[in-house]
């Protein structure tokens, strides 16, 4: 017996271990995702190894590791294990031609969706550059990995597992399209946010209201004025409508727009009273954005906050803390036009500087404010106020 | 005071414009070479002694130069008064403002004082009393002054130094004295004595020196302390020398209608209040001049009023102006001098500290025709924090009920007020609420008054007013809510508001020079301090290349700068981190000079333009042409002339706008 046993043991042991291996693997899969870390004790606790025999466990683990079904990694208390999908494991075994390729692949695999820089791989594996190049070439051919660009390191050659999408960190999140910051998209979002805050943080009022009140004439006077105003307005809008009737239908919408504009001009936006509670918050704004069809990407509140911060930096909106609630309102409401930013932008074409009205003091009203030769300008010199062309054209002379 | 080249040139040009070439050459020498003695001036100006003396006389007459006689050597030194020189630019504005604020008669007096320099009351009376206003302006060459005014008042006709009919606003010598008395009480005018011609800085320095010497001999702590107090007293006395008469008048309740006049503001016209039976006369030999410091306070009020109008709204700004006016009646200057105001300030109570104004006081002083129901959005009552006042005061105990508060303060306080004000009227929908109060709140009745019709528009007005004031509170801290008496007490922290305004002006300049993105970047840097380029790009959501371009632009304009931090000792570029930061100091240092240069260029261009139409201008200054230019001139000429006026107005107007910025950055 004693003699037979050793002879048959290898065969039996082998198939046994194969059995235990499958059992352990299935047990792992059943008790957690592929992100779960198992310690040695936890593996034993799964009950797949008979009598908690450590030597058996060791062989089983060795086998699993060889077949890439289990990943060794550093857990919180020493060595730990994660299971890997069978199909993934097969990639190693079947597609990686040699040891080097498998090593490179495993490093890239470990990097996950952040990807990894080629130099880091070389350094980590202490591999010769040429060997690495050959390996990576093969891996790319086999469609196991793919090169990509990360916005964080635009000049570095990065690799990522072909089956993964680059993480937000690598793509830059919603603001990037093909690793390029999508400024038009950002501007569009900003304008929508701004217009929304504007509509929620101001009160629209006919400017026909007099700032000086006259006693004893309350309602009557107000309404009389209104009627008058409207009549005058009608008269002025009459003209375009007559021309409109003579013009073909194409011109019609434009005319109507103009009329609308004219109507709007009479109104102004007013600030809300202090302590106003209904200024929009970040989550209000995020909700509105998700309803518009500008983007299919779902913007998190964090993303929205980022856009808001930029609007604040642009000095277009400001924070309002009311009863401990952080919300937002536009600045200088009475100076803003009623038209939305989005609308204006549409009419201004590609001019990205179109937008809300900012406070402008007199600095660049005169040519010197933007004069390219300001520092050179001295009386008696080649550039001097006496021969200044900028001023001449500013004054309407040639 | 060290003056930059452009500031000096600007001052010289202003003096030249207003007072002619001689004074201008003298002031130029003084500005460029510093304090000088007479012989040095001859040399430096290259003028004949009589010319220099004449020039100096004009300068001193208008307080554009100081002189100082050394006690030991008896040698007189002359020194330029840069502030007065620069303030020439603001004359028109000040005259305007005095007109609005204090009345036409006051305006007339101030206007004449500007053209006369310092003057005895008797002389002033003569100028008014005798033959029209023309006589009141002998010292100026008229021309420039008129032009200065054109730009600032907008009511140009390019001639006429002072108003053509001063007699109409000043009716009698008594009236004149009354007006002057009031202006002295407002500190717009100050009394001049022999020592007023010395540079105050020198005077202060002398006092300091004297006491430093004395302090070395003082032994005990107590003696030192006493000396310190004495010094503080001396400094103040030196500074407030011109206000002795004001104090006397104040103490004697001087000119009775003054208070009322001040409060009514705006509407006040020259007619003296008939009720003032007491006719006082000032000492006719008193010599007076304009006190720019106080004028600046008023100008600042005006600027802040405009600021509020821009940021909040028109009606609110009117309310704010009223608050400003009340808060600054006792304020003598915009900026305190730390040397004088800092030490032992407890000794002096000039009433300018910690001024709080109650809502009721504001209401009283507010022009009753202002419609307070406008310019604030109407919203449902539930949308407004009803306890905003409490929150502001950070009342620790929310549970302190209205009753408790009533008990404490012995009067109606605002929580109760807000609780039950008529929502129908005040928060109604669209139309400006016709005033038809459906509930009133009678004095001490507390919280939950039934909504009955005790029509009291006054109550409503108070509530509306409070609403505007709270709005002031909520933006840029225009006003600070600091108590509940008199329907709420308010204070203005000028340094806080001015800092906000300064920031706004700077931002505007940055925006205009480098666009919205430039502004975005500077504001981010200002908020976060030093930042790596990557971080900035992430925060600003801008592309790297665009960002780098903008940064370079900003750096070139001197708004931001970069700091290199090498990561190792090799200092190679790719092992170095670059941090951008907003360079507030440099910005503040550079901007005023840039502005001076711009103003200077504006005025220089104006000079060139004037030279081009010299013939016409000479023609219209002939006495037989003045006033009837249109009839006398050929249409072609007249056309040219009015075009030129147009141009002048444009250039001067824009110069004034630049001055607006300078004032905010430097003076207020
Ligand atoms: S005067 Fe003309 S050349 Fe000189 S700084 Fe001004 S704009 Fe430039």
């Amino acid at each position: 017996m004693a003699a037979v046993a050793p002879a048959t043991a290898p065969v039996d042991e082998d198939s046994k271990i194969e059995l235990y291996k499958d059992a352990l693997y299935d047990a792992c899969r059943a008790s957690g995702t592929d992100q779960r870390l198992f310690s040695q004790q936890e593996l034993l606790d799964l009950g797949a190894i008979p009598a908690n025999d450590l030597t058996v466990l060791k062989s089983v683990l060795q086998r699993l590791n060889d077949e890439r079904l289990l990943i060794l990694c550093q857990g919180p208390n020493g060595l730990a294990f994660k299971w890997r999908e069978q199909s993934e494991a097969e990639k190693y075994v079947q597609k990686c031609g040699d040891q080097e390729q498998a090593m490179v692949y495993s490093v890239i695999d470990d990097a996950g969706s952040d990807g990894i820089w080629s130099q880091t791989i070389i350094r980590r594996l202490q591999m010769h550059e040429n060997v690495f190049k050959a390996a990576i070439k093969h891996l790319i051919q086999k469609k196991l990995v793919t090169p990509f660009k990360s916005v964080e390191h635009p000049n570095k050659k990065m690799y990522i597992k072909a089956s993964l999408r680059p993480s937000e960190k690598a793509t830059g999140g919603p603001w990037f399209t093909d690793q390029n910051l999508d400024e038009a998209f950002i501007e569009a979002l900003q304008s929508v946010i701004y217009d929304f805050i504007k509509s929620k943080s101001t009160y629209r009022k006919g400017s026909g209201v007099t700032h000086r009140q006259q006693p004893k004439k309350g309602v009557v006077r107000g309404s009389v004025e209104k009627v008058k105003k409207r009549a005058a307005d009608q008269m002025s809008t009459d003209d375009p409508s007559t021309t409109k009737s003579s013009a073909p239908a194409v011109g019609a919408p434009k005319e109507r727009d103009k009329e609308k504009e004219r109507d709007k001009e009479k109104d102004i936006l007013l600030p809300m009273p202090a302590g106003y509670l209904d200024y929009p918050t970040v989550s209000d704004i995020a909700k509105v954005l998700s309803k518009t069809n500008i983007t299919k990407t779902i913007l998190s509140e964090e993303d929205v906050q980022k856009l808001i911060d930029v609007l604040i930096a642009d000095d277009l909106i400001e924070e309002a803390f009311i009863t401990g609630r952080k919300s937002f309102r536009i600045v200088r409401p009475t100076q803003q036009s009623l038209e939305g930013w989005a609308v204006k932008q549409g009419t201004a074409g590609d001019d990205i500087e179109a937008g809300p009205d900012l406070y402008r003091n007199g600095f660049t009203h005169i040519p010197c404010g933007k004069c390219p030769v300001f520092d050179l300008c001295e009386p008696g010199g080649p550039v001097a106020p006496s021969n200044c062309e900028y001023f001449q054209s500013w004054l309407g002379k040639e | 005071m060290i003056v930059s080249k452009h500031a000096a040139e600007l001052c010289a040009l202003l003096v030249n414009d207003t007072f002619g070439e001689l004074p201008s050459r003298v002031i130029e020498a003084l500005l460029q070479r510093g304090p000088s003695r007479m012989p040095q001036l001859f040399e430096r100006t290259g003028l004949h002694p009589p010319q220099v003396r004449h020039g100096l006389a004009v300068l001193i007459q208008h307080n554009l130069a100081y002189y100082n006689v050394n006690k030991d050597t008896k040698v007189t030194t002359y020194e330029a008064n840069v502030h007065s020189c620069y303030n020439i630019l603001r004359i028109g504005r000040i005259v305007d403002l005095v007109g609005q604020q204090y009345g036409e008669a006051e305006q007339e007096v101030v206007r004449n004082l500007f053209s006369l320099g310092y003057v005895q009351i008797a002389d002033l009376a003569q100028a008014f009393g005798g033959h029209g206003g023309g006589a009141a302006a002998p010292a100026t060459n008229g021309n420039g002054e008129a032009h200065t005014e054109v730009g600032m008042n907008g009511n140009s006709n390019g001639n006429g130094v002072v108003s053509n009919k001063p007699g109409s606003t000043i009716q009698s010598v008594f009236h004149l004295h009354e007006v002057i008395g009031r202006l002295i009480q407002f500190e717009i005018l100050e009394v001049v004595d022999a020592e007023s011609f010395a540079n105050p800085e020198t005077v202060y320095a002398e006092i300091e020196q004297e006491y430093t010497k004395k302090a070395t001999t003082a032994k005990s702590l107590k003696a030192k302390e006493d000396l310190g107090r004495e010094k503080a007293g001396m400094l103040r006395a030196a500074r407030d020398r011109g206000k002795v008469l004001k104090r006397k008048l104040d103490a004697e309740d001087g000119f009775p209608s003054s208070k009322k006049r001040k409060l009514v503001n705006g509407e006040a016209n020259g007619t003296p209040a008939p009720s003032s039976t007491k006719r006082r006369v000032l000492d006719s030999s008193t010599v007076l001049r304009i006190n720019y410091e106080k004028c600046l306070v008023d100008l600042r009020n005006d600027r802040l009023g405009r600021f509020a109008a821009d940021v909040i709204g028109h009606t609110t700004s009117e309310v704010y102006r009223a608050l400003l006016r009340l808060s600054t009646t006792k304020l003598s200057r915009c900026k305190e001098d730390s040397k004088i105001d800092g030490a032992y300030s407890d000794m002096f109570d000039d009433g300018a500290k910690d001024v709080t104004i109650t809502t009721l006081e504001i209401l009283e002083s507010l022009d009753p025709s202002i419609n307070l129901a406008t310019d604030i959005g109407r919203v449902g009552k539930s949308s407004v924090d009803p306890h905003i006042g409490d929150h502001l005061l950070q009342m620790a105990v929310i549970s302190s009920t209205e009753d408790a508060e009533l008990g404490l303060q012995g009067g109606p306080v605002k929580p109760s007020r807000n609780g039950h004000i008529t929502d129908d009227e005040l928060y109604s929908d669209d139309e400006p609420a016709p005033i038809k109060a459906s509930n009133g709140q009678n004095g001490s009745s507390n919280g939950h008054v039934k909504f009955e019709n005790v029509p009291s528009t006054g109550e409503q007005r108070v509530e509306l007013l409070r609403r505007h004031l709270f709005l002031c509170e909520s933006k840029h801290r225009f006003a600070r809510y600091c108590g509940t008496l008199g329907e709420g007490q308010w204070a203005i922290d000028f340094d806080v508001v001015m800092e906000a305004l300064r920031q706004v002006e700077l931002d505007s300049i940055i925006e205009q020079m480098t666009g919205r993105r430039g502004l975005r970047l500077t504001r981010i840097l200002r908020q976060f301090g030093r930042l790596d380029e990557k971080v900035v790009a992430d925060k600003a959501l801008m592309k790297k290349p665009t960002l780098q371009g903008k940064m370079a632009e900003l750096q070139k304009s001197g708004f931001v700068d970069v700091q290199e931090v090498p990561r190792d000792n090799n200092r190679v570029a790719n092992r170095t981190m670059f941090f951008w930061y907003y360079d507030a100091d440099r910005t503040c240092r550079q901007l005023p000079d840039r502005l001076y240069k711009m103003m200077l260029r504006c005025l220089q261009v104006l000079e060139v333009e004037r030279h081009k139409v010299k013939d016409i201008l000479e023609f219209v200054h002939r006495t037989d042409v003045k006033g009837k230019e249109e009839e006398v001139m050929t249409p072609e000429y007249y056309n040219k002339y009015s075009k030129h006026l147009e141009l002048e107005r444009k250039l001067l107007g824009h110069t004034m706008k630049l001055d607006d910025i300078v004032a905010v950055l430097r003076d207020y």
Side-chain angles (χ1 to χ4, degrees):
Chain A
M1 267 298 275
V4 177
T8 52
V11 186
D12 276 347
E13 281 296 289
D14 198 52
S15 54
K16 250 195 252 166
I17 296 225
E18 190 65 33
L19 266 173
Y20 295 149
K21 183 202 84 183
D22 288 344
L24 184 64
Y25 183 69
D26 290 342
C28 284
R29 290 194 56 144
S31 56
T33 66
D34 60 356
Q35 291 306 313
R36 165 154 182 206
L37 291 175
F38 294 91
S39 69
Q40 187 174 313
Q41 190 54 46
E42 279 168 327
L43 288 177
L44 287 175
D45 290 348
L46 291 172
I49 308 295
N52 286 354
D53 186 337
L54 280 181
T55 32
V56 176
L57 179 68
K58 203 178 144 209
S59 332
V60 168
L61 289 179
Q62 184 63 48
R63 180 82 48 102
L64 278 169
N65 197 32
D66 287 346
E67 290 177 17
R68 309 275 175 185
L69 287 169
L70 216 55
I71 311 162
L72 267 156
C73 43
Q74 201 59 39
N77 327 303
L79 206 55
F81 306 87
K82 281 195 291 191
W83 60 269
R84 180 183 272 136
E85 197 69 58
Q86 195 120 31
S87 55
E88 290 292 319
E90 271 165 20
K91 285 184 188 161
Y92 280 90
V93 182
Q94 291 169 8
K95 294 199 176 165
C96 293
D98 53 27
Q99 190 62 27
E100 276 79 28
Q101 290 175 20
M103 278 157 65
V104 171
Y105 182 61
S106 109
V107 173
I108 296 175
D109 193 7
D110 283 348
S113 60
D114 282 348
I116 190 162
W117 184 27
S118 54
Q119 293 303 313
T120 320
I121 306 178
I122 291 172
R123 220 178 308 131
R124 196 170 293 168
L125 295 175
Q126 309 214 321
M127 201 177 246
H128 194 273
E129 182 143 4
N130 287 336
V131 181
F132 168 74
K133 273 189 183 153
I136 202 87
K137 202 172 147 204
H138 181 85
L139 290 172
I140 294 173
Q141 266 173 8
K142 285 267 151 79
K143 297 215 166 54
L144 285 176
V145 302
T146 167
F148 81 109
K149 273 200 164 30
S150 163
V151 289
E152 286 207 328
H153 318 283
N155 300 322
K156 292 181 179 174
K157 235 191 169 123
M158 307 282 290
Y159 295 97
I160 189 174
K161 243 169 87 179
S163 55
L164 288 178
R165 281 166 43 105
S167 69
E168 282 223 340
K169 214 165 109 204
T171 57
W175 319 127
F176 287 80
T177 312
D178 308 329
Q179 281 81 52
N180 275 322
L181 189 71
D182 193 342
E183 290 189 331
F185 173 60
I186 293 167
E187 178 90 4
L189 286 174
Q190 274 193 303
S191 67
V192 172
I193 295 179
Y194 180 80
D195 286 347
F196 173 67
I197 297 180
K198 182 155 129 185
S199 70
K200 288 287 172 191
S201 66
T202 57
Y203 180 81
R204 187 167 160 174
K205 166 117 234 123
S207 61
V209 182
T210 43
H211 288 122
R212 304 261 158 189
Q213 65 189 14
Q214 278 168 25
K216 291 207 169 188
K217 279 189 183 171
V219 200
V220 187
R221 187 178 159 278
S223 58
V224 164
E225 195 172 77
K226 261 215 152 173
V227 170
K228 257 193 203 155
K229 275 257 160 77
R230 214 158 273 160
D233 195 55
Q234 242 129 42
M235 282 180 37
S236 57
T237 51
D238 271 347
D239 300 359
S241 66
T242 48
T243 49
K244 185 169 72 185
S245 58
S246 62
V250 196
K254 248 191 190 167
E255 297 291 353
R256 208 173 303 136
D257 277 359
K258 265 191 203 158
E259 277 170 42
K260 244 191 235 159
E261 257 175 46
R262 207 170 300 144
D263 275 342
K264 279 178 188 167
E265 262 165 23
K266 293 191 300 189
D267 295 357
I268 56 166
L269 296 174
L270 296 178
M272 292 302 189
Y276 182 61
L277 296 171
D278 293 345
Y279 292 124
T281 60
V282 179
S283 65
D284 294 340
I285 296 164
K287 258 178 234 150
V288 167
L289 281 185
S290 69
K291 277 187 206 131
T292 59
N293 42 13
I294 300 180
T295 169
K296 294 202 177 62
T297 338
I298 305 291
L299 294 172
S300 68
E301 288 196 6
E302 233 168 85
D303 297 330
V304 175
Q305 181 65 51
K306 214 163 180 185
L307 288 167
I308 289 173
D309 285 343
V310 172
L311 280 170
I312 292 176
D314 283 353
D315 202 13
L316 297 176
I317 61 172
E318 61 188 356
E319 281 175 2
F321 281 99
I322 284 144
T323 59
R325 181 170 165 274
K326 187 160 120 186
S327 47
F328 302 93
R329 61 184 175 203
I330 63 162
V331 298
R332 306 172 69 238
T334 51
Q335 310 299 317
Q336 300 301 332
S337 74
L338 298 153
E339 243 169 75
W341 182 352
V343 176
K344 256 204 212 163
Q345 198 184 18
T347 53
D350 292 343
D351 183 8
I352 50 162
E353 293 288 353
D357 297 316
L358 293 154
Y359 168 72
R360 297 261 162 87
N361 58 27
F363 193 75
T364 46
H365 290 188
I366 66 159
C368 302
K370 278 199 149 170
C371 176
V373 289
F374 185 78
D375 292 335
L376 301 177
C377 179
E378 278 309 322
V383 187
S386 54
N387 63 14
C388 173
E389 289 169 21
Y390 305 106
F391 255 111
Q392 288 305 308
S393 58
W394 182 71
L395 289 167
K397 302 183 174 185
E398 281 319 311
Chain B
M1 179 187 186
I2 299 154
V3 203
S4 78
K5 172 169 168 288
H6 294 122
E9 278 176 34
L10 179 63
C11 288
L13 188 64
L14 285 169
V15 171
N16 186 22
D17 245 20
T18 315
F19 303 106
E21 203 192 328
L22 276 185
S24 165
R25 299 249 313 249
V26 178
I27 200 89
E28 211 178 328
L30 287 176
L31 284 165
Q32 283 171 0
R33 314 294 287 274
S36 314
R37 283 173 288 122
M38 200 59 108
Q40 289 171 319
L41 275 181
F42 298 150
E43 192 187 308
R44 285 170 186 174
T45 54
L47 293 170
H48 299 305
Q51 288 175 314
V52 172
R53 283 200 194 95
H54 176 78
L56 271 175
V58 175
L59 290 177
I60 290 169
Q61 175 71 31
H62 289 273
N63 199 26
L64 301 171
Y66 299 117
Y67 67 82
N68 194 15
V69 186
N70 189 304
K71 284 193 201 98
D72 307 324
T73 56
K74 301 276 177 249
V75 176
T76 313
T77 328
Y78 300 90
E79 199 179 336
N81 178 352
V82 188
H83 290 292
S84 303
C85 291
Y86 183 85
N87 280 335
I88 294 174
L89 199 58
R90 298 182 179 146
I91 289 177
R93 202 173 265 189
I94 294 174
V95 169
D96 254 15
L97 205 69
V98 169
Q100 279 170 29
Q101 190 119 334
Y102 304 107
E104 270 174 49
E106 282 79 354
Q107 181 174 25
E108 213 45 61
V109 170
V110 168
R111 200 198 301 264
N112 275 289
L113 270 169
F114 271 125
S115 45
L116 292 169
Y118 68 89
V119 73
Q120 263 191 11
I121 294 183
D123 292 342
L124 200 57
Q126 209 178 11
F128 274 112
H131 16 67
T140 65
N141 76 2
N143 185 351
E145 162 93 0
H147 291 305
T148 332
E149 278 189 56
V150 172
M152 294 171 276
N153 302 347
N155 63 358
S156 69
N157 54 3
N159 51 23
V161 178
V162 276
S163 159
N164 301 325
K165 40 180 176 50
S168 59
T169 45
I170 303 284
Q171 287 135 342
S172 65
V173 178
F174 285 122
H175 184 201
L176 178 69
H177 279 246
E178 191 184 312
V179 169
I180 291 175
R182 273 201 297 269
L183 284 173
I184 291 174
Q185 283 185 287
F186 294 143
E187 296 180 37
I188 294 290
L189 300 185
E190 64 182 1
V191 177
V192 178
D193 59 21
E195 280 169 53
S196 311
F197 297 101
N199 185 348
E201 292 301 324
T202 328
V203 176
Y204 302 152
E206 272 170 14
I207 297 177
E208 292 272 356
Q209 265 174 20
E210 198 179 315
Y211 278 91
T212 324
K213 240 184 263 162
K214 278 191 197 170
T216 52
T217 60
K219 294 260 154 47
S220 66
L221 264 180
K222 172 95 174 62
K224 280 202 175 135
E225 160 111 14
D226 283 348
L227 273 178
R229 286 186 176 271
E230 203 180 312
K231 183 177 86 179
M234 289 290 281
L235 284 172
R236 275 196 188 232
R239 184 180 64 182
D240 299 340
R241 200 184 314 103
K243 308 207 172 68
V244 178
L245 181 58
K246 166 197 155 61
R247 278 208 210 100
K248 193 168 144 241
L249 290 176
D250 279 351
E252 292 164 8
D253 206 17
F255 290 87
S257 60
S258 66
K259 185 162 184 229
K260 192 173 162 224
R261 177 173 293 273
K262 167 178 61 200
L263 293 178
V264 171
N265 164 57
E267 299 307 305
N269 57 20
T271 38
S275 60
S276 75
T277 45
K278 205 164 68 173
R279 293 235 134 159
R280 285 196 53 154
V281 178
L282 298 161
D283 181 356
S284 288
S285 63
T286 315
V287 184
L288 299 169
R289 71 174 174 205
I290 306 280
N291 174 17
Y292 282 107
E293 281 189 330
K294 180 68 180 183
C295 293
L296 279 185
V297 173
D298 284 340
L299 283 175
R300 178 174 72 175
N301 284 355
D302 181 56
R303 180 70 189 87
L304 285 174
R306 276 184 282 142
F307 185 34
D310 181 71
V311 173
I312 308 177
H314 178 79
T315 310
T316 312
S317 81
E318 291 291 334
V319 172
Y320 190 55
R321 276 171 194 273
L323 174 61
L324 279 166
R325 219 156 39 229
L326 293 171
S327 313
T328 52
T329 43
K330 289 201 178 134
L331 195 68
S332 302
R333 57 191 58 75
C334 294
K335 282 189 174 165
E336 293 196 334
D337 186 331
S338 57
K339 265 207 306 278
I340 304 177
D341 292 292
Y344 303 105
S345 53
D346 49 311
M347 279 162 59
F348 314 95
D349 179 28
D350 46 11
K353 295 242 161 54
D354 305 322
V355 185
T356 61
I357 308 292
T358 66
T359 310
L360 290 179
E361 283 172 295
I362 298 171
L363 184 71
E364 197 185 319
S365 93
L366 200 66
D367 181 348
S369 70
I370 289 173
N371 181 1
L372 289 175
T374 57
D375 277 1
I376 295 192
R378 285 156 199 286
V379 291
K381 194 175 84 172
S382 60
S383 300
V384 176
D385 175 11
H387 300 297
I388 177 166
D390 300 356
H391 288 150
L392 288 176
L393 290 180
Q394 293 178 322
M395 284 193 175
V397 202
I398 307 279
S399 61
S400 75
T401 56
E402 288 163 354
D403 290 325
E405 283 186 44
L406 279 175
L408 272 172
Q409 264 118 15
V413 285
K414 96 265 108 245
S416 56
R417 165 161 294 292
N418 269 324
H420 64 105
I421 194 71
T422 65
D423 29 338
D424 301 333
E425 312 308 313
L426 300 175
Y427 299 105
S428 71
D429 18 34
D430 224 40
E431 276 312 292
I435 303 205
K436 179 198 65 145
S438 66
N439 96 331
Q441 186 205 4
N442 296 331
S444 60
S445 64
N446 82 15
H448 308 285
V449 175
K450 298 150 279 170
F451 285 14
E452 266 172 9
N453 36 351
V454 186
S456 85
T457 51
E459 287 292 331
Q460 260 199 349
R461 238 175 123 68
V462 169
E463 180 52 34
L464 288 168
L465 186 60
R466 286 169 52 81
R467 206 158 290 180
H468 284 289
L469 287 165
F470 276 119
L471 204 52
C472 287
E473 204 282 336
S474 71
K475 295 218 181 187
H476 290 315
R477 284 254 170 202
F478 275 112
R480 177 164 49 87
Y481 184 65
C482 58
T484 54
L485 295 177
E487 302 290 344
Q489 286 157 284
W490 303 90
I492 300 177
D493 300 323
F494 282 101
D495 31 351
V496 176
V497 194
M498 284 314 300
E499 205 35 59
L501 178 54
R502 235 165 263 149
Q503 209 53 261
V504 165
E505 293 283 7
L506 274 180
D507 280 358
S508 171
I509 291 174
I510 294 171
E511 195 271 331
Q512 290 178 71
M513 287 180 76
T514 58
R516 187 152 62 84
R517 273 137 219 273
L519 177 63
R520 180 188 299 176
L521 293 172
T522 19
R523 282 171 60 98
I524 288 174
L525 289 177
R526 197 185 297 150
Q527 191 189 346
F528 294 99
R530 281 157 209 253
L531 286 184
D532 182 59
E533 196 168 272
K534 249 186 227 162
V535 186
V536 184
D538 178 56
K539 286 194 187 301
L541 289 179
M542 281 169 70
K543 273 187 195 149
K544 276 262 185 63
T546 342
L547 178 118
Q548 280 158 351
K550 270 283 169 249
M551 280 298 190
E553 213 178 301
L554 284 166
Q555 191 182 18
K556 200 171 133 247
S557 316
F559 297 126
V560 304
D561 215 337
V562 74
Q563 185 188 22
E564 297 178 23
V565 181
R567 275 192 260 197
D568 48 31
N569 285 334
N570 297 331
R571 298 184 173 265
V572 277
N574 60 6
R575 300 290 295 158
T576 304
M577 295 192 283
F578 292 92
F579 289 106
W580 289 99
Y581 63 96
Y582 168 67
D583 196 340
D585 278 357
R586 189 150 70 120
T587 309
C588 292
R589 253 181 294 123
Q590 281 183 349
L591 263 185
D593 199 52
R594 190 179 168 110
L595 287 162
Y596 296 145
K597 185 167 173 184
M598 287 168 68
M599 289 157 90
L600 183 63
R601 294 289 176 268
C602 249
L603 294 176
Q604 279 165 339
V605 168
L606 177 58
E607 247 183 14
V608 174
E609 292 300 324
R610 276 198 192 137
H611 190 75
K612 284 189 193 158
V613 288
K614 207 170 75 202
D615 305 347
I616 303 180
L617 289 182
E618 268 165 19
F619 181 69
V620 295
H621 279 128
R622 272 166 43 185
T623 43
D624 56 331
V625 179
K626 246 179 209 176
K628 45 188 178 211
E629 292 86 354
E630 193 160 5
E631 301 149 39
V632 182
M633 291 161 88
T634 64
E636 190 199 343
Y637 258 53
Y638 185 73
N639 208 351
K640 253 190 173 172
Y641 175 60
S642 46
K643 272 223 183 92
H644 174 76
L645 288 183
E646 180 62 34
L647 179 150
E648 230 170 63
R649 207 169 307 140
K650 192 169 168 185
L651 280 168
L652 284 167
H654 283 283
T655 315
M656 294 313 294
K657 280 193 183 146
L658 294 175
D659 170 54
D660 234 13
I661 309 174
V662 173
V664 168
L665 295 181
R666 190 190 69 179
D667 296 332
Y668 294 162

